Structure formats: C-alpha cells, structure tokens
Amino acid sequence: MPDLSKAFADLVAARRSLRAFLPEAVDEATMQRVFDTALRAPSNCNTQPWQTHVASGDAIETLRREMPRQFMEGKLSMDFPYDGVYHGVYKERQYGSAQALYDSVGITREDKAARHEQFMRNFTFFDAPHVAFLFLPEPFGLREAADLGMYAQTLMLAMTANGLGSCPQTALGFQADLVRETLGVDATNKLMFGISFGHPDPDAPVNACTTDRAALTDVVHFHG
Ligand SMILES: Cc1cc2nc3c(=O)[nH]c(=O)nc-3n(C[C@H](O)[C@H](O)[C@H](O)COP(=O)(O)O)c2cc1C
C-alpha cells in the first residue's frame, strides 16, 4: 500500500470553494474520470442513494438565463426545507465565511447592493461551464442525505485532483422544479444542491477567498 497520507492531506487542503471559472469546457476524458472516481463514495449498506445530473452547453445556458429571472420573480420550489438556524459558535463561523467571501472581492458590510449582486452570481453558476445537480431519490431522507454529502465531497476532491475547481451551492436547490423540467428529471428525484465546476479562473480575486477551521480540540474528543 503506498503512503497516501501526505497526498491525501494535500488534496483535502487544496479543495476550496471557487467562485469564478474560465469558459472552456472540461474535456470528456476528465469528465468521465472525475465522475467515475466519485462512484467509490461510501453509503449506508452500499445503497448509493444518489442521482447526478450534469448540465453543460444549451442546458446550462437555459438555466443560467432562467434561474436568476425566476428567483427574482419569487418562483421558488425547494424539495428540502431551508430552515437552518445558527446560534453561538455556528453563527460566528457562518459570519466568518461570509466575511471572507466579501473581503476577497472588496465588498463592505454596508454595501447591500453589492452583496446581493454577489449572491445572485450563485444562479449563473459563477460563469462555470458545467453544473452537477445532486438528487436524492424518493423515499430517502436524513440518513441517505448523509450518504449524498459523502458522495459530494468525494466528487469535489476528484475534481481538485484533476485540476478542476468547484463550488457546492445550496442556492441551486431553490428552484427544483425548474431544474427538473429543464433537464427532464423525474419528480421522484429530490434536489438537494448543485455543484458548479470547471477550470478555475486563477486571476479572479474571489478565488483567493480562504476560510479557517475550528481547532481540533473544539470538535474532536478522544476518549479512553
Ligand atoms: C452543502 C453546501 C452548500 C453550500 N452552499 C453554498 C452556496 O449556496 N453559495 C456559496 O457561495 N457557497 C456555498 N457553500 C460553500 C461554503 O460557504 C464553503 O464550503 C465554506 O465556507 C467553507 O469554505 P471552503 O469550501 O472554501 O473550504 C456551500 C457548501 C456546502 C458544503
């Protein structure tokens, strides 16, 4: 068994949420390799409760046009409630990640219009040429959603390892009906979130955004 420890730590550290992409499409061989690698994600009883729909070309352009428009019209359809409430340290971390993002592009706390504009960039996929929508088939629930999360991280690490950038986006789950209709997805597949991906723009200030993490002792507790 090769020593993968350093390679793995480097890979995990190299993945960050990137929010500016070059227009060039990912080549077919890389696309296949990335999604094939992610199939090895673990899941409860190896049920692999995920369905992934990747939009590129005409499909992503339709969504890039319709998503911001319908969002502004208030046409929302969420398969999973958007009701996370953060308090205490969780609130602080949420605030810290938003601040890191706005600092990277020079948006101040008071500049509500600029914040809104940055938020709206979610719905144009940060100019990415591809987006992967992650669905949970019915009747799966919370336990299988954890499997879907493991799949998502495996997929994003595979992207990083293949020189691609990605951004997981809850915001892409706000218009599930539109996504299903555009991509011809069956109503029994429930949309959890999307991942914009492609070749990252190395010169975009937003891609310099980094976030910190809690100390090991704050979140991991060794016993015995
Ligand atoms: C499930 C999930 C949903 C997220 N949704 C969004 C989103 O809608 N828009 C966005 O810009 N970032 C989103 N993020 C990115 C987080 O803000 C980011 O992962 C966090 O701040 C840590 O930064 P890092 O990914 O660069 O390590 C999401 C991340 C996850 C895991």
Side-chain angles (χ1 to χ4, degrees):
M1 178 98 173
D3 181 3
L4 296 174
S5 167
K6 184 173 182 317
F8 181 69
D10 288 349
L11 179 62
V12 171
R15 186 218 56 83
R16 288 184 292 116
S17 293
L18 300 177
R19 297 181 179 88
F21 296 89
L22 301 173
E24 286 75 35
V26 173
D27 68 83
E28 195 51 39
T30 304
M31 192 74 99
Q32 293 289 327
R33 192 163 57 245
V34 160
F35 284 91
D36 197 48
T37 302
L39 296 177
R40 296 301 310 176
S43 57
N44 275 280
C45 303
N46 200 25
T47 45
Q48 304 158 67
W50 44 69
Q51 283 289 311
T52 305
H53 288 263
V54 182
S56 313
D58 290 350
I60 194 172
E61 293 315 326
T62 301
L63 290 168
R64 215 189 303 276
R65 190 179 62 242
E66 289 301 315
M67 281 189 115
R69 196 175 68 76
Q70 297 200 16
F71 180 81
M72 289 311 287
E73 285 174 0
K75 262 180 142 179
L76 303 183
S77 50
M78 294 178 209
D79 291 338
F80 298 95
Y82 183 65
D83 55 4
V85 179
Y86 303 121
H87 293 295
V89 69
Y90 305 106
K91 180 92 195 148
E92 282 166 31
R93 291 174 193 160
Q94 180 193 32
Y95 180 84
S97 78
Q99 201 55 49
L101 172 60
Y102 295 131
D103 283 351
S104 72
V105 284
I107 298 175
T108 62
R109 181 138 201 86
E110 298 73 43
D111 196 346
K112 289 217 166 65
R115 282 177 176 241
H116 177 71
E117 201 177 307
Q118 174 62 38
F119 171 72
M120 287 303 292
R121 291 185 55 71
N122 272 289
F123 304 115
T124 50
F125 316 110
F126 307 116
D127 298 332
H130 311 284
V131 56
F133 290 99
L134 272 48
F135 292 86
L136 199 59
E138 270 182 350
F140 295 133
L142 192 56
R143 197 165 299 283
E144 292 80 14
D147 296 336
L148 190 59
M150 297 202 191
Y151 169 76
Q153 169 71 339
T154 308
L155 179 60
M156 291 190 291
L157 290 177
M159 289 175 177
T160 304
N162 282 273
L164 303 178
S166 64
C167 187
Q169 294 165 256
T170 289
L172 298 183
F174 291 172
Q175 291 155 287
D177 289 342
L178 170 63
V179 173
R180 263 190 296 268
E181 189 189 315
T182 307
L183 305 182
V185 177
D186 191 83
T188 58
N189 287 295
K190 301 303 178 193
L191 179 58
M192 186 66 78
F193 59 95
I195 301 176
S196 297
F197 69 96
H199 298 284
D201 180 348
D203 301 322
V206 73
N207 281 344
C209 174
T210 55
T211 51
D212 53 17
R213 294 294 189 271
L216 183 67
T217 48
D218 285 344
V219 292
V220 182
H221 311 280
F222 297 98
H223 303 272

